[in-house]
Amino acid sequence: MSIIDFLQASPTAFIIVAAILGLLVGSFLNVVIHRLPLMMEAEWRQQCADLAGESDAAPQPAINLITPRSRCPHCGHVITALENIPVLSYLALKGACSACGKAIGSRYPLVEALTGVLTALVAWHFGWGWQAVAGGVLTWALIALSMIDLDHQLLPDSITLPFLWLGLALSLYGTTGLFTDAHSSIIGALAGYLSLWLVYQIFKRLTGKEGMGYGDFKLLALFGAWLGWQVLPAVILLSSLVGAAVGISLIVVRGRDRNLPIPFGPYLAAAGWIALLWGGQITQAYLQWAKLSP
């Protein structure tokens, strides 16, 4: 029996392998979360210099998602392979650099653990097949987008747009699409983008302020493309409720300035991920409730 046959025959083994893969990918996502905004900033700076007809007076060291190797932010110690084992290395090192002894942020193992757990949940929910593969890859993208948005109030096009197109492409899989059919996917992408765009335009004209960014429109369009227009109301409702609750809590408990922006992307991402797994049941329950309501 081959490994593939074994994983297909053993759901438990498949879930365990998915969790381990998620942990490994989570380690790479930490690199994406940290470096992608830096890469975008360097590109914008270069574009501005080119438009102004100036050369970059202070060129920055080349950085991408592969090089240079990860280092301690305090002393520059290069992280070895043994020091880069997801979660375990952090625990073994007691959350500190092996060279200088200074603390390493707890976000790194948390992102790794979160990626492992969510990947395992996707594998458990869908079982062996292409839906689990696609759902896992989308989960990884959503984690990266959420963390980048929390840090920079930014949802990079380099992630949202390829995944939007991928969702449209997956709707052509077989006769009914991998998650939804092509008709629902195309309408979902259009409705997802335009619905938040309209809210943005109305809010801006009433208040003179920008309530959200264009990245939020693209992220909702992404979910429409992947899951169909039918899940969009549930995604918008869930994300709005969670976002409002968190925003109010930050203002009341922590005294956060209500004029400071609160990124909406993480709430959209969480709601969309829930819809990926249980969107059909949520929509069906809502329709059933609506029928019973007087």
Side-chain angles (χ1 to χ4, degrees), residues 252-275:
V252 174
V253 177
R254 296 189 177 181
R256 182 187 178 100
D257 185 351
R258 65 186 63 194
N259 292 318
L260 292 177
I262 296 176
F264 188 49
Y267 310 120
L268 267 180
W273 186 84
I274 292 172

Side-chain angles (χ1 to χ4, degrees), residues 171-269:
S171 71
L172 301 176
Y173 179 86
T175 57
T176 59
L178 194 61
F179 295 101
T180 190
D181 60 274
H183 184 264
S184 297
S185 177
I186 294 171
I187 294 177
L190 291 171
Y193 188 93
L194 291 176
S195 58
L196 288 188
W197 180 84
L198 288 173
V199 172
Y200 166 87
Q201 294 295 339
I202 294 172
F203 183 83
K204 185 175 181 180
R205 279 160 174 73
L206 290 176
T207 66
K209 301 178 181 179
E210 297 184 355
M212 61 183 69
Y214 278 67
D216 297 320
F217 315 160
K218 299 167 191 174
L219 182 54
L220 188 59
L222 180 158
F223 288 127
W226 275 72
L227 307 175
W229 63 267
Q230 296 89 342
V231 305
L232 292 179
V235 172
I236 294 174
L237 179 60
L238 285 172
S239 59
S240 299
L241 288 176
V242 175
V246 172
I248 293 172
S249 299
L250 289 174
I251 293 172
V252 174
V253 177
R254 296 189 177 181
R256 182 187 178 100
D257 185 351
R258 65 186 63 194
N259 292 318
L260 292 177
I262 296 176
F264 188 49
Y267 310 120
L268 267 180

Side-chain angles (χ1 to χ4, degrees), residues 26-238:
S27 180
F28 177 69
L29 290 184
N30 278 317
V31 176
V32 175
I33 293 164
H34 174 68
R35 295 190 182 183
L36 184 56
L38 297 178
M39 294 163 56
M40 296 173 66
E41 182 181 348
E43 182 180 357
W44 296 335
R45 186 167 50 247
Q46 185 60 53
Q47 289 174 349
C48 291
D50 292 341
L51 289 173
E54 304 170 354
S55 60
D56 195 339
Q60 299 296 317
I63 182 173
N64 55 49
L65 299 181
I66 306 300
T67 58
R69 290 178 58 184
S70 298
R71 300 172 180 270
C72 171
H74 305 291
C75 68
H77 167 69
V78 176
I79 306 300
T80 67
L82 289 177
E83 295 171 341
N84 205 28
I85 300 173
V87 180
L88 295 180
S89 291
Y90 184 87
L91 295 176
L93 294 170
K94 298 180 180 179
C97 173
S98 62
C100 66
K102 291 187 178 180
I104 300 173
S106 60
R107 170 187 284 190
Y108 298 107
L110 289 177
V111 169
E112 293 166 352
L114 177 66
T115 307
V117 169
L118 295 188
T119 305
L121 282 173
V122 169
W124 164 78
H125 180 81
F126 290 113
W128 178 267
W130 287 113
Q131 281 190 324
V133 174
V137 173
L138 178 60
T139 298
W140 303 338
L142 294 178
I143 292 172
L145 285 170
S146 297
M147 299 307 295
I148 291 173
D149 200 26
L150 283 173
D151 289 340
H152 303 280
Q153 287 76 57
L154 177 70
L155 294 169
D157 285 349
S158 56
I159 299 178
T160 55
L161 294 184
F163 274 86
L164 192 159
W165 287 107
L166 178 59
L168 291 171
L170 292 176
S171 71
L172 301 176
Y173 179 86
T175 57
T176 59
L178 194 61
F179 295 101
T180 190
D181 60 274
H183 184 264
S184 297
S185 177
I186 294 171
I187 294 177
L190 291 171
Y193 188 93
L194 291 176
S195 58
L196 288 188
W197 180 84
L198 288 173
V199 172
Y200 166 87
Q201 294 295 339
I202 294 172
F203 183 83
K204 185 175 181 180
R205 279 160 174 73
L206 290 176
T207 66
K209 301 178 181 179
E210 297 184 355
M212 61 183 69
Y214 278 67
D216 297 320
F217 315 160
K218 299 167 191 174
L219 182 54
L220 188 59
L222 180 158
F223 288 127
W226 275 72
L227 307 175
W229 63 267
Q230 296 89 342
V231 305
L232 292 179
V235 172
I236 294 174
L237 179 60
L238 285 172

